[in-house]
Amino acid sequence: MFDRLPFLIGLRYVRAKRRNHFISFISLTSMLGLMLGVAVLILVLSVMNGFDHELRTRVLGMVPHAKIEAPGGLTDWQPLAERLMERERVIGAAPYVEQQGMFSVGGRNEGAMVNGIEPEWESRVSIIDENMRHGSLDDLTPGEWNIVLGSILARRLGVGVGDRVTLLVPEASITPAGVFPRLKRFTVSGIFSVGADLDASLAYAHIDDMQTLARLGDAVGGLRLELDDLFAAGSETRAIIDELGSGYRGLDWTYSHGNLFQAIQMEKRMIALLLTVIIAVAAFNIVSTLVMVVTDKRADIAILRTIGATPRSIMGIFIVQGLAIGVIGILVGVILGVLMAWTVSDLIAWVEGAFGIHFLDAGVYFISNLPSRLIWSDVANIVSAAFVLTFLSTLYPAWRAARVQPAEVLRYE
């Protein structure tokens, strides 16, 4: 009987109505604090995981994992691409020509990076063909001077498929009439949208047209590489450069977007730490609850001691009571947090549509929607941390209960 005594009495104390309603109120606030802390922590970490996932799939799906370049460009790029594709970590390679410029149409001007690509090769290193809203990359044919614009860039310029835009590049052409900026008229043949800031700053043209515009001849700017593990981009790029020799140079994605990724990871850790402190505050509210319960139940403790209950059993009673309060709060918080993590993206989208509010502008943030990605290992870590904090908060009140002397208490009863 005494083996089950702590469990049975501890649960009874949780369910019992108390004469002191303040104790019940403190117990409820402790439970609600744990519930809200766990739920919010699950939700926030899911959103941070969503941002991390979107960064990897969207932004880094458009940005090359690594680039191999040479001074003056690469003139014989196909054998080099095939050679690099033989490496274990390299799963794709494609040539490119990059040209910074400014689009102008109808008095509107917008700066952008224009990538000259080979449409047949681009799908090996980019998700651009999967995110075409209008048109196709196959419309980029050499000599026709077609161009594909990001959706935000096209909207700012006020153009659509079939419209013509003028590209000004920051290089001068010397003519008998004087020095003029180099410019070329393009026809918009497609519009893409990845829901990221790249929609406002990126355009694609055929690599032959960009070679002509940049006066590179048969050379390309370099090779873009897709790797099986983007976190190995730095070491793999250095290994490739060491193999190719000093005539080449390599850049990986951490040069352009590494700070963003590191910022997300740092924010995730800091937010998790801050919200864990909130859970800790709620958990240690159980201390005050149990201390008042011990004071209120001194006579019950004395009677249990006189009929044979050991100090260890008395400790167990209040540990069970505190853990019951904590476990209820944690379980409800997990259910609430998981439901919010699964529905927050749809809820935000509904609010945006219903009230005409746009929380994330792709022109400001690197994505245009609020992502959420629930990782069960995070949930397990949150539950474990909350349970440990709850258990620790029960030890001191339970220890005080075990030290109650029956003779001193019953003397005045």
Side-chain angles (χ1 to χ4, degrees), residues 9-10 13-14 18-20 22-24 26-27 285-305 311 313-322 325 393-406 409 413:
I9 297 180
Y13 281 172
V14 174
R18 299 183 178 88
R19 296 184 300 272
N20 189 340
F22 185 68
I23 298 177
S24 300
I26 295 297
S27 300
N285 279 341
I286 297 176
V287 175
S288 57
T289 301
L290 293 183
V291 167
M292 288 187 289
V293 171
V294 169
T295 303
D296 190 55
K297 299 294 184 181
R298 286 171 60 86
D300 295 353
I301 296 171
I303 293 172
L304 288 172
R305 289 294 306 276
S313 298
I314 300 300
M315 282 191 67
I317 290 172
F318 292 96
I319 289 176
V320 168
Q321 182 182 359
I325 295 172
S393 67
T394 65
L395 294 181
Y396 172 71
W399 176 76
R400 284 193 56 179
R403 287 173 57 87
V404 171
Q405 299 298 324
V409 175
E413 292 295 330

Side-chain angles (χ1 to χ4, degrees), residues 176-360:
V179 179
F180 294 93
R182 193 182 308 169
L183 53 86
K184 183 63 183 179
R185 296 273 285 178
F186 284 85
T187 300
V188 179
S189 63
I191 295 175
F192 70 88
S193 176
V194 293
D197 61 344
L198 298 176
D199 293 340
S201 60
L202 194 59
Y204 290 91
H206 195 279
I207 194 169
D208 290 354
D209 295 339
M210 295 307 298
Q211 285 174 323
T212 301
L213 185 63
R215 298 177 179 176
L216 292 176
D218 295 332
V220 299
L223 289 176
R224 301 171 63 188
L225 303 181
E226 179 86 1
L227 306 179
D228 61 349
D229 181 6
L230 63 92
F231 295 106
S235 58
E236 183 66 14
T237 302
R238 289 190 294 270
I240 291 174
I241 296 303
D242 291 340
E243 178 183 325
L244 296 179
S246 58
Y248 298 87
R249 68 170 185 168
L251 299 173
D252 61 84
W253 66 272
T254 59
Y255 284 91
S256 58
H257 290 78
N259 291 338
L260 178 59
F261 181 81
Q262 293 173 2
I264 290 177
Q265 294 297 311
M266 179 62 70
E267 289 174 3
K268 180 180 176 181
R269 297 189 187 100
M270 294 305 298
I271 290 175
L273 178 61
L274 293 175
L275 293 179
T276 301
V277 172
I278 295 176
I279 295 177
V281 171
F284 283 106
N285 279 341
I286 297 176
V287 175
S288 57
T289 301
L290 293 183
V291 167
M292 288 187 289
V293 171
V294 169
T295 303
D296 190 55
K297 299 294 184 181
R298 286 171 60 86
D300 295 353
I301 296 171
I303 293 172
L304 288 172
R305 289 294 306 276
T306 58
I307 64 175
T310 63
R312 182 176 179 180
S313 298
I314 300 300
M315 282 191 67
I317 290 172
F318 292 96
I319 289 176
V320 168
Q321 182 182 359
L323 288 180
I325 295 172
V327 167
I328 293 172
I330 292 170
L331 289 180
V332 176
V334 167
I335 295 172
L336 184 61
V338 169
L339 290 177
M340 289 193 300
W342 280 342
T343 60
V344 65
S345 298
D346 296 332
L347 179 61
I348 294 299
W350 179 83
V351 171
E352 290 180 341
F355 298 97
I357 303 172
H358 202 61
F359 292 103
L360 297 176

Side-chain angles (χ1 to χ4, degrees), residues 352-391:
E352 290 180 341
F355 298 97
I357 303 172
H358 202 61
F359 292 103
L360 297 176
D361 184 357
V364 179
Y365 305 98
F366 74 91
I367 62 174
S368 58
N369 66 312
L370 185 68
S372 178
R373 186 166 182 258
L374 182 66
I375 298 179
W376 289 106
S377 60
D378 286 344
V379 177
N381 291 335
I382 293 169
V383 171
S384 300
F387 183 82
V388 170
L389 290 173
T390 301
F391 175 74

Side-chain angles (χ1 to χ4, degrees), residues 33 37 42-43 61 74 94 97 103 109 165 173 180 191 207 247 290 350:
I42 291 175
L43 174 62
L74 300 175
V97 172
F103 287 101
N109 300 304
V165 296
S173 296
F180 294 93
I191 295 175
I207 194 169
L290 293 183
W350 179 83

Side-chain angles (χ1 to χ4, degrees), residues 101-112 153 156-158 166-168 200:
M102 182 175 67
F103 287 101
S104 178
V105 56
R108 300 180 180 181
N109 300 304
E110 293 289 337
L153 179 60
R156 291 176 177 175
L157 292 172
T166 301
L167 175 65
L168 292 82

